[in-house]
Amino acid sequence: MKATRLGAAGLAAVLLGALVAGTPATAAPDAASTTTVNCDTDPATPKRQFRALWIASVTNIDWPSKASQTAPEQVARQQAEYLEWLDLAERLHHNAVVVQVRPTADAFWPSPYEPWSEYLTGVRGQDPGWDPLAFLVSESHKRNLEFHAWFNPYRVSMPAPGGAGADLDQLAPGHPARQHPDWTFAYPPAGVAGSRLYYDPGVPEVREFVQTAMMDAVKRYDIDGVHFDDYFYPYPSGTHQVPDDDTFAAYNRGFTDKADWRRDNINLLIQEMNAKIKAVKPWVKFGVSPFGIWRNASADPLGSDTTGSQSYDIISADTRKWVKQEWIDYVVPQLYWYIGQYPAADYARLVPWWAETVRGTRVQLYIGQADYKSGDPAYGAFWMNPRELSDHLTLNRSYPEVQGNVHFSAVQVRANRLGATDIYASEHYSRPALIPTMSHLPSKPLLMPVVTRSARQDDGVRLTWRQPADGVGPFGTATSYAIYRFDGVKVAGACDRADAAHLVQTVRATGGGTQSWVDSTALPGKRYTYYLTALDRLANESPASPPAFVLR
């Protein structure tokens, strides 16, 4: 086919049309179709859905592997392992990774505040000789995957013998906890199995310090999100009490009830961390993945129809308040239970509770999925059903507030026991998906891309395009592009991009002029019509380009 080209006059017309239209990224045609046009869409191929792997580093669960620490080419081995996780994410049409970069008051980057993580080299505080976080972010973005930096705020050590346990002297030399032993407590008590060290959340200097340590990564690296898991105050162990009587006496701020004071300590952490992130980089998202039960209805009429442990009480995490106050941008409750007659915590009871909780707020709801239980007989017969996880995702469709899933953890997803990963991937992740937008975060309008060439070649169809006024003046910067393909010669209507049926790929913007991509799945001799849209770093979408035809 003769290449399709756009001359200067055509480019000027496109620019003028876009300027006159003035369509902001948040009011792109796909968004308009959901409000002014009633489009029939396929729930199995949503256009927008958050899909991510949790990649855990603590005790080398997922990455890097324990074996990599003694590999002759340690750095090369660890980098190759991470790329394999990105390969998996791509195969599953995921659009994000959540990577643990501060597992135990340490760092996966050259931090001026905390020691190097032992999970890189096997030695606490040892410099690995490279900057892992810079590599993780860069390689994730090359695959057009959002990178959410996963931090554990208060955990200082893991139990002995593998970890330092309750022994401050076993921490890395110069560790802040060794310099400030009054900042820490051991729980359970030293000498009890499972004892480990925590920073005391009730000490104001501790809260300030851990925020500063985490914000160092936010300021220095191009991350897309900050992510906390469910570790705040330690989970109860037997009858042992958290040893914070002295802290409460010194810093109670007028509270007379210690439980209320503890919850307020964690509330302050969440509220202040969100404010600090937004003050430095307003586009960086802040999310928390809490234990799946806030409170039971028997304890609070606002609670869920469950009887299990309550995060409000056992770890001092008032997660419902964080949502209602909009101190977070997204919440990922860990709903690690099956669908069925399980009064303590039935998945089918908790999803609607969380959907109702976020309803009317700006907080997005994603569900934490227990891939680690699938196919493991230790968790009971329900988890021996290869369709259990896929059924979870099907149930989620009944609640529009559920905008995605995060799977724990990467190694379990790859294990694919009973073929469960294959089942839910084929039934729910068969097409790519864009990240859900967050309209409360700042954005600028994007102009439509200009396709300058569409031509068949031996390995497929090559598209070449430019992004007009990219980051210039009032216009936003294109971070990535969505590519839609239709069979034959097609003039797409308002609803044709309302789901992902025709979304073939998203690609990262390279900047600096023209960009190209090859559709290797295009069949020889078949006619196609392509449309491109530009996306900013928050996945706000531009109007679509004029159609690019491939006629032979």
Side-chain angles (χ1 to χ4, degrees):
M1 175 191 171
K2 186 176 179 180
T4 303
R5 297 185 181 276
L6 188 67
L11 176 59
V14 169
L15 284 169
L16 179 60
L19 286 166
V20 170
T23 306
T26 52
D30 70 290
S33 69
T34 63
T35 56
T36 61
V37 180
N38 186 20
C39 298
D40 291 327
T41 59
D42 184 351
T45 58
K47 177 169 179 171
R48 294 186 182 273
Q49 186 177 56
F50 189 83
R51 303 171 183 168
L53 296 172
W54 269 302
I55 301 177
S57 62
V58 67
T59 68
N60 301 101
I61 290 175
D62 295 314
W63 182 87
S65 72
K66 189 79 171 175
S68 73
Q69 296 171 354
T70 56
E73 297 293 334
Q74 183 188 86
V75 174
R77 171 77 174 270
Q78 293 181 350
Q79 291 181 347
E81 287 178 353
Y82 186 71
L83 295 182
E84 289 175 1
W85 290 126
L86 299 187
D87 290 343
L88 175 64
E90 279 195 306
R91 285 200 304 273
L92 296 176
H93 287 146
H94 285 196
N95 47 32
V97 288
V98 182
V99 186
Q100 194 172 34
V101 297
R102 185 183 182 269
T104 54
D106 50 10
F108 273 57
W109 71 96
S111 168
Y113 303 102
E114 296 184 304
W116 282 104
S117 176
E118 65 185 283
Y119 304 116
L120 289 163
T121 63
V123 179
R124 295 176 194 117
Q126 184 176 96
D127 188 338
W130 63 302
D131 186 340
L133 183 52
F135 177 83
L136 300 177
V137 173
S138 175
E139 293 299 322
S140 300
H141 284 169
K142 286 179 183 177
R143 313 292 186 100
N144 202 32
L145 296 165
E146 276 199 345
F147 184 91
H148 291 237
W150 170 10
F151 303 101
N152 189 292
Y154 292 125
R155 183 170 61 202
V156 176
S157 67
M158 294 298 286
D167 189 350
L168 284 163
D169 292 336
Q170 293 299 311
L171 299 176
H175 195 294
R178 296 179 68 170
Q179 298 173 353
H180 301 278
D182 54 312
W183 285 5
T184 71
F185 58 72
Y187 186 84
V192 175
S195 180
R196 68 188 78 183
L197 293 166
Y198 294 87
Y199 280 130
D200 188 339
V203 177
E205 292 85 359
V206 164
R207 193 173 73 248
E208 177 67 25
F209 172 76
V210 299
Q211 290 172 351
T212 299
M214 294 184 288
M215 284 301 300
D216 180 62
V218 177
K219 294 173 181 177
R220 293 169 55 194
Y221 297 89
D222 189 26
I223 65 174
D224 301 291
V226 168
H227 186 91
F228 288 176
D229 53 19
D230 57 320
Y231 289 96
F232 299 103
Y233 276 88
Y235 279 91
S237 178
T239 60
H240 300 293
Q241 301 299 308
V242 172
D244 60 353
D245 286 348
D246 291 344
T247 309
F248 180 56
Y251 304 111
N252 59 63
R253 299 189 301 279
F255 281 91
T256 57
D257 183 273
K258 186 187 287 187
D260 290 339
W261 168 74
R262 285 178 179 167
R263 277 187 289 274
D264 193 61
N265 292 332
I266 306 303
N267 289 343
L268 288 171
L269 170 75
I270 299 297
Q271 184 180 18
E272 291 170 359
M273 191 67 188
N274 181 57
K276 289 183 178 183
I277 293 167
K278 297 303 190 287
V280 173
K281 293 183 176 179
W283 59 88
V284 171
K285 305 168 187 178
F286 181 34
V288 179
S289 175
F291 182 74
I293 300 173
W294 170 68
R295 299 199 85 186
N296 300 314
S298 60
D300 190 314
L302 297 174
S304 52
D305 184 15
T306 50
T307 61
S309 298
Q310 306 169 110
S311 66
Y312 181 92
D313 299 294
I314 63 171
I315 55 174
S316 306
D318 191 355
T319 53
R320 184 179 183 275
K321 183 169 188 173
W322 307 343
V323 171
K324 294 302 185 181
Q325 294 294 322
E326 298 181 341
W327 292 337
I328 54 179
D329 298 303
Y330 68 86
V331 64
V332 193
Q334 297 174 23
L335 302 191
Y336 293 169
W337 302 286
Y338 55 79
I339 298 171
Q341 299 304 312
Y342 183 48
D346 184 343
Y347 184 91
R349 296 179 183 182
L350 280 161
V351 168
W353 185 88
W354 280 101
E356 189 281 330
T357 297
V358 303
R359 194 172 298 141
T361 74
R362 301 183 302 189
V363 179
Q364 292 186 355
L365 172 62
Y366 318 139
I367 304 297
Q369 299 293 342
D371 288 62
Y372 72 97
K373 289 186 175 181
S374 181
D376 188 337
Y379 294 107
F382 280 89
W383 289 104
M384 298 307 292
N385 173 10
R387 295 196 53 80
E388 180 68 27
L389 287 171
S390 189
D391 289 346
H392 288 197
L393 273 57
T394 299
L395 186 149
N396 291 354
R397 294 178 187 171
S398 300
Y399 300 92
E401 293 83 6
V402 179
Q403 297 191 55
N405 299 277
V406 186
H407 296 267
F408 187 83
S409 66
V411 71
Q412 307 295 341
V413 173
R414 184 174 63 187
N416 190 27
R417 285 187 297 273
L418 305 178
T421 302
D422 289 341
I423 293 171
Y424 72 65
S426 65
E427 294 182 354
H428 300 277
Y429 301 160
S430 64
R431 307 294 299 174
L434 308 183
I435 294 282
T437 60
M438 290 188 175
S439 59
H440 64 284
L441 300 184
S443 64
K444 293 181 178 181
L446 292 167
L447 295 179
M448 67 184 72
V450 176
V451 179
T452 57
R453 180 180 175 87
S454 56
R456 190 177 293 280
Q457 54 190 40
D458 290 344
D459 56 349
V461 170
R462 179 174 293 277
L463 302 175
T464 304
W465 66 90
R466 287 185 284 165
Q467 181 61 29
D470 194 25
V472 175
F475 297 110
T477 299
T479 300
S480 62
Y481 297 93
I483 301 171
Y484 301 86
R485 185 184 72 194
F486 297 86
D487 292 341
V489 176
K490 167 77 173 182
V491 177
C495 290
D496 287 318
R497 296 187 309 278
D499 63 19
H502 299 284
L503 180 64
V504 291
Q505 186 64 283
T506 68
V507 297
R508 198 74 177 180
T510 57
T514 61
Q515 184 167 341
S516 67
W517 172 79
V518 175
D519 181 4
S520 61
T521 66
L523 298 177
K526 189 170 182 178
R527 294 185 174 191
Y528 293 111
T529 304
Y530 291 88
Y531 289 87
L532 269 68
T533 60
L535 305 164
D536 67 13
R537 65 176 307 136
L538 291 166
N540 297 301
E541 190 172 29
S542 76
S545 68
F549 303 112
V550 177
L551 302 180
R552 62 184 179 188

